[in-house]
Amino acid sequence: MQTWDTDVVVAGAGPAGLMLAAELRLAGARVIVLEQQDRATAESRGMGFTARTLEVFDQRGLLPRFGELSRSPGGHFGSVPVDFAVGDGRHASVTGVSQARTVAVLGEWAAELGADIRRGHRVTGFTDTGDGVEVRAEAPDEEVRLTAPYLVGCDGGRSAVRRAAGFDFPGTDATAELLLADVRDLALPPKWSGERRPGGMLLAAPLGDGMTRVVVSEHGRAPRQRTEPVSFEEVAEAWKRVSGDDISAATPLWVSSFGDAARQATEYRRGRVLLAGDSAHVHLPASGQGMNVSIQDAVNLGWKLGAVVTGRMSEALLDTYHAERHPVGAALLRNTRAQAVLFLGGPEMQPLREVLTDVFRGEEAARMLAGLVSGLEIRYDVGPGSHPLLGRRLPDVPLVLDDGEKTSSTRLLHPARGVLLSLGADPQPARTARKWAPHVDVHSAHLADTSPAGETVDADAVLVRPDGYVAWVAGSGDLHTALRRNFGEPIE
């Protein structure tokens, strides 16, 4: 019998890798995270959370770790203004939380749960043996070899795991290059937000604590094949060419560049190797979706892979990871490519921007775009039935349990187990689900009230997966089938 060093090796300790590691630990799986950087980076491409990521963090009790959060009703789609707080305000995002802060919080949480996070370890190769993987990594003064049933690449857009495993990664190359710098002591006050000049596009946004992020793109300037990192001198020179203003006296804290390449792996799993986050999809970082979709990839995969490696479920459950998340990634590329046309296009795009500005003022259009960017409109195919809750995330509603305890549907998901929530008089769903303990928690309760956002659960009973999505609703399909599909065989 094979003795594994761990159950899962995760390559990459970014938001996706750390979220996945924590979810695996909650599922009872052992996990080792290999990260080539020897310390957590202070660099932050992502600057906040979409509404769905806020819900994901809330269902694990993580939000207090981030401190006070402020929702931003404003937003844009390819620089065209959109009211993301349309209607009940649920679609509004949170800004001002750096990706570095997110990595720090997730890393601390994963470590508390028992994840083995090894920094300064660069994955150099692996072998898929058919029943597991042998992973090779370089660490200071040593070579490391690990064995595990599965390897997950969460190592970014240039993923070494994706390349070594031979995943197809089709799409389009970058047509533009955007230069970025986080600076202090900027002489000019931040007054641009996607402002266009004849020569290009400018953006300056305050980051707090005296820092400002500046981004500049020049029309007609092809992306460079860089062998060295971009310098702040390049950023300042490009800024001056486009705006006429000199920002060279500012103090650079971080300088980088990015483009509008759009690529997606054709499959998210090949044998014993899976991909999540930027390893599976790259795109223009528009509307803050990249890190958020990556975190949601990890939450979808974590409970499934955890159930497989701990022997509760067959590998067939992993097929649902690709089936559910690949369409989300495809939609992500589609909307960010559309935004790139609006955001990076020259004066010829201005009439379209003006027309769309008027269109997006309409509540229906704003709600559609807000749902697209926020992730709140995601609905998975979880089996037969037409109930509006099927395949969607369970709304956050206040509950009173039968013993009188006050709680909420979101709080019931903190342990990352399945939940059978019985809200009606029929005791049979609860009796049935108790055969799947301890993988499914059974709660009988009644709604205390509608949620602050006006949401409710219009059903007598619902079965909820560990990731918060509804797998069965009373009156839609067979409960036994849904339990077996998601949680294996009953424990008699």
Side-chain angles (χ1 to χ4, degrees):
M1 181 177 178
Q2 172 74 55
T3 300
W4 307 106
D5 293 314
T6 189
D7 295 321
V8 181
V9 174
V10 175
L18 293 171
M19 190 76 196
L20 176 60
E23 293 288 306
L24 287 166
R25 288 299 302 141
L26 288 170
R30 298 174 301 155
V31 58
I32 294 175
V33 181
L34 303 178
E35 167 55 50
Q36 64 177 345
Q37 301 295 329
D38 58 4
R39 60 175 59 89
T41 179
E43 301 167 358
S44 297
R45 291 192 182 274
M47 294 303 300
F49 310 134
T50 60
R52 179 47 45 93
T53 300
L54 283 170
E55 292 178 345
V56 164
F57 287 163
D58 196 18
Q59 75 184 20
R60 296 295 184 256
L62 287 175
L63 287 184
R65 294 176 182 244
F66 290 96
E68 186 175 351
L69 298 174
S70 175
R71 288 208 180 216
S72 172
H76 71 88
F77 187 86
S79 77
V80 179
V82 181
D83 178 12
F84 282 174
V86 62
D88 55 25
R90 291 176 55 242
H91 299 82
S93 61
V94 161
T95 57
V97 181
S98 70
Q99 184 168 321
R101 175 62 179 155
T102 302
V103 166
V105 168
L106 294 180
E108 181 180 71
W109 179 50
E112 288 174 5
L113 293 172
D116 183 352
I117 303 169
R118 304 184 184 183
R119 297 194 175 275
H121 285 64
R122 182 175 68 89
V123 174
T124 57
F126 63 86
T127 302
D128 185 337
T129 63
D131 61 351
V133 285
E134 299 174 354
V135 181
R136 300 178 294 279
E138 288 183 350
D141 303 321
E142 66 172 334
E143 289 189 0
V144 177
R145 292 178 180 268
L146 297 170
T147 60
Y150 291 94
L151 167 66
V152 185
C154 296
D155 50 339
R158 297 182 176 88
S159 172
V161 170
R162 184 189 66 236
R163 292 196 300 267
F167 284 86
D168 291 329
F169 200 50
T172 57
D173 292 330
T175 61
E177 182 181 53
L178 293 85
L179 306 183
L180 174 153
D182 289 348
V183 301
R184 288 190 187 277
D185 308 317
L186 185 67
L188 298 172
K191 59 180 179 181
W192 294 281
S193 181
E195 181 175 333
R196 289 175 186 81
R197 301 289 178 88
M201 184 278 300
L202 302 161
L203 184 148
L207 301 180
D209 195 26
M211 295 185 294
T212 302
R213 171 162 295 178
V214 296
V215 180
V216 58
S217 174
E218 296 183 79
H219 294 323
R221 193 175 184 89
R224 299 185 186 182
Q225 298 297 320
R226 296 185 177 275
T227 57
E228 297 292 334
V230 62
S231 67
F232 181 60
E233 182 181 10
E234 286 183 76
V235 179
E237 289 174 351
W239 188 276
K240 190 169 186 177
R241 285 193 295 269
V242 173
S243 71
D245 295 316
D246 187 358
I247 63 170
S248 61
T251 303
L253 306 174
W254 176 47
V255 182
S256 186
S257 64
F258 59 94
D260 61 338
R263 295 185 175 277
Q264 183 185 24
T266 55
E267 53 191 337
Y268 282 11
R269 177 192 173 202
R270 296 195 73 185
R272 295 283 171 168
V273 183
L274 300 103
L275 302 177
D278 290 348
S279 300
H281 40 73
V282 296
H283 53 90
L284 180 75
S287 304
Q289 296 176 84
M291 181 185 73
N292 289 272
V293 172
S294 297
I295 287 170
Q296 292 162 43
D297 284 348
V299 174
N300 185 283
L301 176 59
W303 71 274
K304 297 172 181 178
L305 187 53
V308 171
V309 297
T310 55
R312 304 196 305 272
M313 294 291 290
S314 73
E315 287 187 22
L317 183 62
L318 296 180
D319 295 336
T320 67
Y321 170 59
H322 172 93
E324 292 179 351
R325 294 306 296 176
H326 194 273
V328 173
L332 169 68
L333 262 65
R334 187 164 55 247
N335 93 63
T336 52
R337 290 176 70 180
Q339 292 194 65
V341 173
L342 292 167
F343 194 62
L344 301 176
E348 75 281 358
M349 296 302 300
Q350 190 57 29
L352 178 59
R353 296 185 190 107
E354 292 173 359
V355 169
L356 290 179
T357 297
D358 292 336
V359 172
F360 292 172
R361 288 195 184 105
E363 184 169 327
E364 184 176 350
R367 190 183 299 277
M368 185 275 288
L369 288 171
L372 181 70
V373 170
S374 68
L376 294 186
E377 299 307 310
I378 291 172
R379 185 174 190 176
Y380 298 137
D381 181 1
V382 295
S386 58
H387 194 283
L389 280 177
L390 272 176
R392 294 193 181 277
R393 191 185 178 281
L394 182 70
D396 180 26
V397 293
L399 300 169
V400 178
L401 302 181
D402 279 0
D403 63 4
E405 178 186 352
K406 294 182 179 180
T407 185
S408 70
S409 53
T410 294
R411 200 170 298 131
L412 297 181
L413 291 164
H414 283 190
R417 292 191 290 271
V419 171
L420 188 288
L421 181 59
S422 177
L423 298 169
D426 184 2
Q428 191 55 49
R431 289 174 184 163
T432 299
R434 286 193 179 96
K435 298 177 183 178
W436 273 262
H439 309 310
V440 177
D441 294 334
V442 177
H443 298 282
S444 295
H446 65 268
L447 297 174
D449 199 351
T450 55
S451 73
E455 296 179 295
T456 189
V457 177
D458 185 17
D460 288 338
V462 293
L463 176 66
V464 188
R465 307 186 322 188
D467 61 355
Y469 285 81
V470 176
W472 172 87
V473 178
S476 298
D478 178 64
L479 177 56
H480 287 86
T481 300
L483 285 161
R484 284 189 169 89
R485 182 189 300 121
N486 292 280
F487 303 104
E489 293 301 314
I491 301 172
E492 300 293 350

